[in-house]
Amino acid sequence: MGNSNTVSLPDLAATQALALRLARALQPGDTVFLTGDLGAGKTTFARTIIRELCGVEDAPSPTYTIIQTYDLEDGELWHADLYRIEEAGELDELGLADAFGDVALLIEWPDRLFGLVPEDRLEVTLEMVGESAGDAMDTPRRAGLTGFGEWETRLDDI
């Protein structure tokens, strides 16, 4: 069923700190699902991980390219945004099924995987829980983390 915990994220710095902890725990072959409403901070979370692991300061959102790839010392990191995927057949062209267990994957909108879900995965659900004091990214959030498969025991590493 998965091992879960919840983390309070009062501001952008806390959200980025959680992403940095995850970046340090991420290994080749890991899959991380990033879920939440539009504006919940999924792309910001992914960009923080990409900056930490790949040194890319301004990683583009893969909203239109669907997948952006980055080189790691020991493999690749793929950042996928499946928001525009409308049917399962589109996934075949992306090669995601072949990438599971091989490359590190950050997947936004994983509900559009149409059942193509790896057994070993970490699900990060971001939700806003307060009002913005100006900058939308400083709106208080909460992150739910649920580990499946080997992530059930690795969740404590984050």
Side-chain angles (χ1 to χ4, degrees), residues 59-109:
S61 171
T63 300
Y64 293 102
T65 58
I66 302 180
I67 294 178
Q68 293 285 335
T69 61
Y70 302 91
D71 291 326
L72 299 171
E73 282 184 24
D74 51 359
E76 287 185 316
L77 172 67
W78 290 16
H79 178 201
D81 182 334
L82 304 181
Y83 184 75
R84 296 177 52 237
I85 298 296
E86 295 181 4
E87 55 187 52
E90 294 176 76
L91 296 172
D92 295 338
E93 298 172 27
L94 299 176
L96 279 175
D98 294 331
F100 288 135
D102 189 27
V103 303
L105 289 163
L106 304 173
I107 301 177
E108 296 183 48
W109 302 99

